[in-house]
Amino acid sequence: LAKTTQPISMDSYEGQEVNITCSHNNIATNDYITWYQQFPSQGPRFIIQGYKTKVTNEVASLFIPADRKSSTLSLPRVSLSDTAVYYCLVGDLRYQKVTFGTGTKLQVIP
Amino acid sequence: DTGVSQDPRHKITKRGQNVTFRCDPISEHNRLYWYRQTLGQGPEFLTYFQNEAQLEKSRLLSDRFSAERPKGSFSTLEIQRTEQGDSAMYLCASSLADTGNTIYFGEGSWLTVV
């Protein structure tokens, strides 16, 4: 599984757009990029997944440049309820042991 | 609710006792995973099943840990002779092996060994 690097923590005010970037220099051709959100004392929740370019759903957008060596999770107009840890994972999660790392702790401030 | 279900959600046990956690995956998901998560850390892989076959085990899964999925549906994770270091959240997840490149987690089972 490709190693990922993401910021340990981020702070943002309510209503702002938050961008969390993940570096994955050794991403393989068949690897997907997947982001999970985790609240305290709960299991990780799938947010979004992509392979290249841009993916958008009702929760977030995922931007992936052409070289795929990094990706950016974009959360529009965050609220206090978006305070959580966000994990970036790279690989085919069905067939590979998933390594979550410590994720990015996002704190949304009123 | 058709998500991954785990039971119990919380368990407090005395050191040396055995505990068992149950996981019911999303219906028709043939892959089932167990993870462990300690405070401040991300989830760590323990083991996974495809149907009833246990295909991989992490070295984190000591001899005191055993997981089963007897009929390819629900799974149990048993910890024998618990130690204080076993205190953690045990997460179960499931996926479809053939389609869909992601796994879905349950809410976790918290274990506290006193």
Side-chain angles (χ1 to χ4, degrees), chain A residues 58 62 95 108:
Chain A
E58 65 277 7
L62 179 60
Y95 302 110
V108 179

Side-chain angles (χ1 to χ4, degrees), chain B residues 23 30 41 54 57 59 61 63-64 73 79 86 101:
Chain B
C23 172
N30 50 6
Q41 301 298 315
Q54 189 172 17
K57 293 194 294 185
R59 56 186 172 81
L61 214 65
D63 292 345
R64 298 183 296 105
S73 56
I79 308 174
D86 297 331
N101 178 17

Side-chain angles (χ1 to χ4, degrees), chain B residues 13-18 81-85 112-114:
Chain B
T13 190
K14 292 184 178 180
R15 188 175 55 184
Q17 297 294 306
N18 299 343
R81 305 180 303 282
T82 53
E83 302 172 356
Q84 286 188 322
T112 302
V113 181
V114 297

Side-chain angles (χ1 to χ4, degrees), chain A residues 30-34 36 38 40-46 49 87 91-102, chain B residues 9 31 33 35 37 40-43 45 48 56 89 91 95-107 110:
Chain A
N30 295 330
D31 287 346
Y32 281 76
I33 299 158
T34 309
Y36 283 85
Q38 187 176 29
S41 300
Q42 294 186 23
R45 182 175 75 104
F46 172 83
Q49 184 179 76
Y87 295 98
D92 185 333
L93 307 189
R94 296 166 298 170
Y95 302 110
Q96 298 168 302
K97 291 183 293 186
V98 177
T99 301
F100 276 75
T102 53
Chain B
R9 290 295 316 280
R31 286 203 170 211
Y33 311 78
Y35 287 79
Q37 185 173 23
Q41 301 298 315
F45 170 84
Y48 86 88
E56 190 164 357
M89 181 164 65
L91 291 159
S95 72
L96 277 169
D98 298 329
T99 61
N101 178 17
T102 193
I103 59 177
Y104 298 91
F105 285 85
E107 292 303 309
W110 274 105

Side-chain angles (χ1 to χ4, degrees), chain B residues 2 4 25-33 49 51 69 72-73 93-97 99 102-104:
Chain B
T2 57
V4 178
I26 294 172
S27 180
E28 299 180 355
H29 277 194
N30 50 6
R31 286 203 170 211
L32 186 148
Y33 311 78
F49 294 82
N51 300 314
R69 196 183 183 197
S73 56
S94 69
S95 72
L96 277 169
T99 61
T102 193
I103 59 177
Y104 298 91

